[in-house]
Amino acid sequence: MLRCWKHSENRLEDAECTDGGSAASPQSHFPHKAFWVSCSASLLLVIIALALTGHLGLSQPPAESLQLVRITASDQTGLLINQSAVVDLQNDLVTFSITSPANQTSTVLFDIKHGLICYKPMDQESCFLRKMEESDYKNVHSLLQESTHKGQIQLSRNETQRQREFLGVLAGSPVDVSTLEGPLQTLCQHSSVHWTRRVDGPGNQRLVYFCIDICFPSNICVSVCFYYLPE
């Protein structure tokens, strides 16, 4: 009788492996030994593969939880706004990539779970944070609904509602990147990070430094404009 192992419901069980006879002859000893070595080697490879698969599954979301949506719209001057959004359903994240006509890309990350928005403008080593508000949740929710049905969305210029938001940058209070959640750390790991707060407008004495246009499937395009508040 030859003793080997079988795999049953995530555990190894002792089992008997026979060659069909009542006893093993000396001539059949070597084939049995070769079979045992082959069985052990195969089992070891399976265990290693399962371990690697489990490790990779923890380090990144499964492919089916990621949805890519492309949104095409026009700005107020008629120039085309090309943007894509990656929806991570498992981690409640939506990442926008907005490409300008000059082929420069800004990134806007909606961390729905923690109620934060992070803006990383093109050609800047800076990130800007603010807390999500009710309108932000509504806009992102429209994208979550569409992401499961469409991969390409074309917004009508005549039907698009255009809004403008002003965010004042609190430059005197930088944020320690290590205190941010994982996705925000990854986006801003080589950048300075600052909080912002919504304001009515920059006023006559303040200069708007840049704006980022974000469009949502609900036919709403928001132009988010930044300027620095006095320290």
Side-chain angles (χ1 to χ4, degrees):
M1 181 181 68
L2 177 69
R3 186 174 298 278
C4 65
W5 301 93
K6 69 176 182 178
H7 188 239
S8 174
E9 295 184 349
N10 297 325
R11 65 182 186 273
L12 296 177
E13 295 179 352
D14 195 7
E16 292 184 356
C17 300
T18 64
D19 59 353
S22 59
S25 65
Q27 289 82 3
S28 63
H29 177 71
F30 180 76
H32 287 164
K33 183 177 181 181
F35 174 77
W36 164 246
V37 172
S38 176
C39 179
S40 300
S42 299
L43 183 59
L44 180 61
L45 288 175
V46 170
I47 293 174
I48 293 175
L50 290 174
L52 288 175
T53 302
H55 175 72
L56 293 176
L58 291 175
S59 62
Q60 60 184 16
E64 59 268 20
S65 73
L66 299 178
Q67 303 289 338
L68 175 64
V69 180
R70 299 187 183 278
I71 304 175
T72 305
S74 300
D75 64 10
Q76 293 179 338
T77 64
L79 292 176
L80 203 62
I81 301 174
N82 285 317
Q83 69 178 41
S84 60
V86 176
V87 180
D88 183 349
L89 299 174
Q90 181 179 5
N91 296 306
D92 290 331
L93 297 171
V94 177
T95 306
F96 281 90
S97 296
I98 302 104
T99 303
S100 70
N103 203 31
Q104 296 175 316
T105 301
S106 298
T107 303
V108 180
L109 174 62
F110 288 79
D111 186 346
I112 303 171
K113 182 184 297 183
H114 300 97
L116 294 173
I117 307 175
C118 182
Y119 304 88
K120 193 175 191 305
M122 65 184 76
D123 290 341
Q124 291 197 32
E125 296 301 324
S126 300
C127 284
F128 303 97
L129 299 173
R130 80 171 176 89
K131 295 182 178 180
M132 291 183 65
E133 300 177 1
E134 183 178 355
S135 59
D136 301 311
Y137 285 104
K138 289 182 179 179
N139 289 334
V140 173
H141 183 66
S142 71
L143 181 62
L144 296 177
Q145 289 180 316
E146 293 293 337
S147 66
T148 58
H149 304 292
K150 300 179 181 179
Q152 179 77 38
I153 299 173
Q154 175 76 48
L155 300 186
S156 172
R157 182 181 178 184
N158 295 330
E159 297 177 0
T160 300
Q161 303 177 39
R162 303 188 185 277
Q163 303 174 0
R164 174 167 290 187
E165 297 177 357
F166 292 98
L167 296 180
V169 179
L170 304 174
S173 302
V175 178
D176 184 355
V177 178
S178 65
T179 63
L180 301 177
E181 299 296 331
L184 300 179
Q185 280 194 34
T186 301
L187 179 61
C188 304
Q189 58 183 337
H190 300 303
S191 305
S192 61
V193 183
H194 300 278
W195 280 104
T196 66
R197 61 180 175 87
R198 188 195 289 267
V199 291
D200 294 333
N204 297 329
Q205 305 299 321
R206 298 294 168 192
L207 175 66
V208 173
Y209 285 88
F210 56 90
C211 298
I212 299 177
D213 294 324
I214 311 172
C215 294
F216 300 92
S218 53
N219 271 324
I220 294 177
C221 287
V222 183
S223 184
V224 184
C225 299
F226 298 80
Y227 70 94
Y228 286 87
L229 294 172
E231 298 183 10

